[in-house]
Amino acid sequence: MEKLLFISFQDFHHVSDGGSLANKRNADMCEFFFGKKNVDYFYVNDNGKKRSLLSLLYTALLFPVGYFNGLTPNKLQAILNISPIYNYIFVSSSIFGLISKKLKKHGYKGKIICFFHNVESLYYEARVSKRLPFRNIIIDCAAKNDKYSICYADISVGLCERDSHIIKEHYGKRFDFISPITLPDKCANKPCNIHELTSEKPKCYFI
């Protein structure tokens, strides 16, 4: 039976932010096609472990060579070491495009699937303060990983046509598939009480 390794920033099963919802949908899809017993998980970061100042500084020093969001040479090597036993590797964010590049350079024979939550360079350009001294290094690192993801993944999947168009403009390739995230309508067939609905601060999601 074929096996898949699902690589994620952190354990997303009990987190409800937008990115984690997308990861959970993707993981559920992988388990549906491959069987739950044939999908293994590699988390780049430990949710329950607080990162030390030294760890954060080390991570910052790795930005210029493409390591992002807690990925380190040791963690990348661990992925390379176990990769031969998997037929597919699903990289759950294009911010880890370096993984796809190193897998190909290492001679990985299986298929690499990469999911794009955003065009990461544009996301971090908007998110990182212009006052931050190494802002450009962070944005450049994000751009490198976008490029590695679209160029080295065998299959690329994005959320929308807009991002696919931007990626093609920058790197010459569109996403292979577009897969928007949908959420169940929990208000369907429920009586509507306007005062009750507005008594709490709403949570808003953008698409």
Side-chain angles (χ1 to χ4, degrees), residues 7 20 30 32 39 47 55 68 84 99 111 183 185:
I7 300 172
S20 295
C30 291
F32 175 80
V39 177
N47 302 44
S55 171
F68 209 108
I99 295 174
K111 296 289 186 182
L183 300 173
D185 184 358

Side-chain angles (χ1 to χ4, degrees), residues 75-135:
K75 293 173 184 177
L76 181 52
Q77 188 59 53
I79 293 169
L80 296 178
N81 290 343
I82 62 176
S83 64
I85 69 172
Y86 295 100
N87 307 94
Y88 294 84
I89 293 180
F90 192 111
V91 183
S92 70
S93 172
S94 61
I95 206 64
F96 295 130
L98 184 64
I99 295 174
S100 299
K101 178 182 178 182
K102 293 295 184 180
L103 282 167
K104 287 293 188 182
K105 297 292 185 182
H106 194 69
Y108 174 65
K109 303 298 183 185
K111 296 289 186 182
I112 301 169
I113 306 167
C114 185
F115 186 81
F116 288 71
H117 291 266
N118 310 282
V119 178
E120 297 293 352
S121 57
L122 300 183
Y123 173 75
Y124 282 97
E125 187 174 352
R127 181 180 177 184
V128 178
S129 171
K130 293 182 179 180
R131 298 178 180 178
L132 197 66
F134 46 89
R135 178 176 185 269

Side-chain angles (χ1 to χ4, degrees), residues 30-201:
C30 291
E31 290 183 1
F32 175 80
F33 284 109
F34 290 89
K36 193 169 184 178
K37 292 182 179 179
N38 297 309
V39 177
D40 293 332
Y41 294 89
F42 184 99
Y43 302 120
V44 174
N45 295 285
D46 183 348
N47 302 44
K49 187 177 179 182
K50 189 175 181 180
R51 297 175 67 186
S52 67
L53 179 60
L54 184 61
S55 171
L56 291 171
L57 288 173
Y58 178 54
T59 299
L61 290 173
L62 292 172
F63 275 127
V65 287
Y67 292 86
F68 209 108
N69 258 9
L71 184 66
T72 65
N74 286 342
K75 293 173 184 177
L76 181 52
Q77 188 59 53
I79 293 169
L80 296 178
N81 290 343
I82 62 176
S83 64
I85 69 172
Y86 295 100
N87 307 94
Y88 294 84
I89 293 180
F90 192 111
V91 183
S92 70
S93 172
S94 61
I95 206 64
F96 295 130
L98 184 64
I99 295 174
S100 299
K101 178 182 178 182
K102 293 295 184 180
L103 282 167
K104 287 293 188 182
K105 297 292 185 182
H106 194 69
Y108 174 65
K109 303 298 183 185
K111 296 289 186 182
I112 301 169
I113 306 167
C114 185
F115 186 81
F116 288 71
H117 291 266
N118 310 282
V119 178
E120 297 293 352
S121 57
L122 300 183
Y123 173 75
Y124 282 97
E125 187 174 352
R127 181 180 177 184
V128 178
S129 171
K130 293 182 179 180
R131 298 178 180 178
L132 197 66
F134 46 89
R135 178 176 185 269
N136 289 341
I137 295 175
I138 295 174
I139 295 169
D140 182 62
C141 183
K144 284 178 182 176
N145 279 282
D146 273 337
K147 182 178 180 180
Y148 297 155
S149 292
I150 197 67
C151 292
Y152 289 99
D154 297 290
I155 301 170
S156 58
V157 185
L159 282 175
C160 61
E161 287 288 354
R162 179 202 63 187
D163 288 354
S164 183
H165 179 70
I166 294 170
I167 287 291
K168 186 177 188 301
E169 278 189 339
H170 287 185
Y171 310 114
K173 290 178 68 177
R174 298 178 62 86
F175 298 148
D176 295 304
F177 298 98
I178 302 295
S179 182
I181 298 299
T182 58
L183 300 173
D185 184 358
K186 294 182 179 180
C187 294
N189 302 319
K190 286 187 177 181
C192 181
N193 184 320
I194 296 175
H195 297 291
E196 184 178 309
L197 289 174
T198 57
S199 64
E200 296 182 6
K201 186 177 180 179

